[in-house]
Amino acid sequence: MVAAVNLLLPQLAASTLHPSPSQLLWAVDAYVIAFAALLIPAGALGDRYGRKGALLAGLALFAAGAALSALAGSAAVLIAGRAVCGAGAALVMPATMSILVHLTPAERRSQALATWTLAAGLGGLAGNVGGGLAAEFLTWRALFWAVVPLAALLALGTARLVPRIPRRPDASVDPLGAALLTAALLGVVHGIIEGPSYGWTSPRVLAGFAAGATLLAAFTLRGLRTARPLFDPRVFTSRRLRAGTLGIGAAFFGLFSLFFVNAQYLQYVKGFSPALTGLAIVPLTIGMALVPRFGARLQDRVGPRPPVTVGLAVIAGGLLLVSTADAATPYALYAVYLLVLSIGTGLCAPALTMSVVAELPAHQAGLGSGLNTAAREVGAALGVAVVGTVLASRFHGTLQDPAGAAGFAWAMGAALRVAALAVLAATAAVAVA
């Protein structure tokens, strides 16, 4: 849905909602902020009260948010609907991974997590293709309405097929700790997202970072002092868990650096229609769909370092390849560049996920899944922010004329090279740890 809504932004801008540029940005960001901020508390809720119940509640909340978005008569209601969807997704994502962890024997767990990564890749594929088709032939409201019966079908399948996993009444939810962590992540992600728009030294952005840092410090102190914290900060004494979270963040930093400019490049520089753009992004999901099982087998044989190091380095290489693209680049060659980046993501994702989940006890599988996905979301938000900032500093034209399209391609290349260097630096740190 994030991919689909990004492709529908031009249609939303011209809709009867008459959103301002800021409201249009928040139509995307409200989902991301709610999702990232609630992931870890939602994972803890699933651990304590039941993963199957959390999954069903999340699907219901996601469908309610989609229906609210479809019915929106103003931009504010659309933004509220997107935030409700984000809250539902925060319940869904940790529950899916923790259910897999509990139902799979230890020797097959890496393969199960590879399947989970495959599902994420296929979701991105469906969002790109569906969003492109909706932008070309339907309306943005139709896309949101389509989510409601889909969520109902998934809820029915969950109710019938997913067994109830024993609850953990001793799992800590810690309402105060959850509130502190949620507010801290809200401030940090808000600052990251708003940085390119308002400037990194603007009072609004600095206030978000300051509030996030203060609340995170308060959450850490509470975790060290309380008998049953939501999340014990001492787990980060594990080098493997630190490396895993950094690696996951770096992988999605690189992936979303590309996402931010990819659709604009294909539509404005190459002249693709929205539907064709959705189809043209398919190579980016092929590696994420086909390679994770190979990455999981490689990890089982030789450990996490080779697939993680090679995978992250390949992501950086893919970004460098895409940075060379301009109006004259044949699409077939550009598709190969996308495939390289997706192969890197598929190779390292299972090992990185396992590095985080395996470092926490089984009864905290939901919490570990929440931490894993929160690292992804923060990395993704940082990738968009860094590329957006470099792009804005170098591109000042309009995309409607050939000179503007050429200038965009040049600025895109510079932004992606900065992102590639950041991923390479993270790769070195993760490999050592």
Side-chain angles (χ1 to χ4, degrees):
M1 284 300 292
V2 171
V5 171
N6 274 322
L7 285 171
L8 286 167
L9 286 179
Q11 192 183 105
L12 280 168
S15 71
T16 55
L17 299 182
H18 304 298
S20 66
S22 175
Q23 288 174 324
L24 204 60
L25 183 66
W26 275 99
V28 177
D29 292 346
Y31 175 96
V32 176
I33 289 178
F35 183 40
L38 294 172
L39 271 166
I40 293 177
L45 283 171
D47 285 338
R48 180 161 185 172
Y49 297 108
R51 283 86 173 188
K52 183 174 181 177
L55 181 51
L56 290 170
L59 287 168
L61 206 55
F62 197 92
L68 182 62
S69 300
L71 292 168
S74 67
V77 176
L78 174 65
I79 291 167
R82 297 293 293 141
V84 173
C85 280
L91 282 165
V92 168
M93 288 291 277
T96 57
M97 185 187 287
S98 58
I99 287 171
L100 277 179
V101 168
H102 275 79
L103 295 183
T104 309
E107 65 274 11
R108 294 179 53 208
R109 200 158 288 162
S110 61
Q111 293 293 323
L113 293 177
T115 303
W116 190 84
T117 305
L118 162 64
L122 293 178
L125 170 61
N128 280 304
V129 174
L133 292 173
E136 189 87 7
F137 303 111
L138 299 172
T139 69
W140 61 271
R141 294 184 192 274
L143 180 74
F144 287 117
W145 278 125
V147 172
V148 178
L150 176 61
L153 185 64
L154 290 170
L156 178 63
T158 299
R160 291 178 62 88
L161 300 174
V162 176
R164 286 200 175 274
I165 295 169
R167 301 177 182 181
R168 297 285 307 201
D170 57 328
S172 176
V173 174
D174 185 17
L176 178 56
L180 287 170
L181 181 60
T182 299
L185 287 173
L186 188 68
V188 171
V189 177
H190 178 270
I192 292 171
I193 288 173
E194 297 287 19
S197 300
Y198 290 91
W200 293 102
T201 58
S202 69
R204 180 171 182 161
V205 171
L206 291 177
F209 285 134
T214 302
L215 291 165
L216 196 58
F219 170 77
T220 303
L221 287 173
R222 178 169 177 80
L224 292 172
R225 292 177 178 176
T226 189
R228 297 180 62 204
L230 169 73
F231 184 79
D232 189 344
R234 283 176 284 257
V235 298
F236 280 105
T237 57
S238 164
R239 292 179 64 192
R240 184 169 178 175
L241 187 139
R242 291 200 307 271
T245 52
L246 175 60
I248 290 166
F252 280 81
F253 175 96
L255 194 61
F256 276 75
S257 295
L258 177 66
F259 280 166
F260 183 75
V261 295
N262 188 55
Q264 297 177 76
Y265 167 79
L266 290 172
Q267 290 186 73
Y268 296 118
V269 179
K270 298 297 290 181
F272 287 13
S273 68
L276 188 57
T277 297
L279 292 170
I281 297 172
V282 168
L284 193 57
T285 63
I286 292 176
M288 292 175 64
L290 299 180
V291 179
R293 286 187 174 276
F294 170 74
R297 286 195 294 269
L298 184 62
Q299 177 205 319
D300 291 340
R301 290 173 186 166
V302 298
R305 181 175 289 150
V308 166
T309 305
V310 174
L312 288 174
V314 170
I315 290 173
L319 290 172
L320 290 173
L321 289 172
V322 177
S323 74
T324 66
D326 56 23
T329 303
Y331 170 72
L333 184 60
Y334 186 77
V336 172
Y337 297 165
L338 297 183
L339 186 60
V340 169
L341 199 148
S342 74
I343 287 172
T345 306
L347 185 63
C348 68
L352 288 168
T353 299
M354 195 69 178
S355 295
V356 174
V357 174
E359 289 300 299
L360 293 172
H363 71 271
Q364 288 188 316
L367 196 60
S369 175
L371 176 62
N372 170 80
T373 312
R376 287 172 47 166
E377 291 303 304
V378 172
L382 271 172
V384 170
V386 168
V387 169
T389 300
V390 177
L391 192 68
S393 69
R394 292 175 177 261
F395 177 66
H396 306 288
T398 62
L399 289 165
Q400 280 66 40
D401 61 86
F408 176 85
W410 174 79
M412 178 185 83
L416 291 179
R417 284 189 289 274
V418 171
L421 290 174
V423 174
L424 283 173
T427 301
V430 173
V432 169

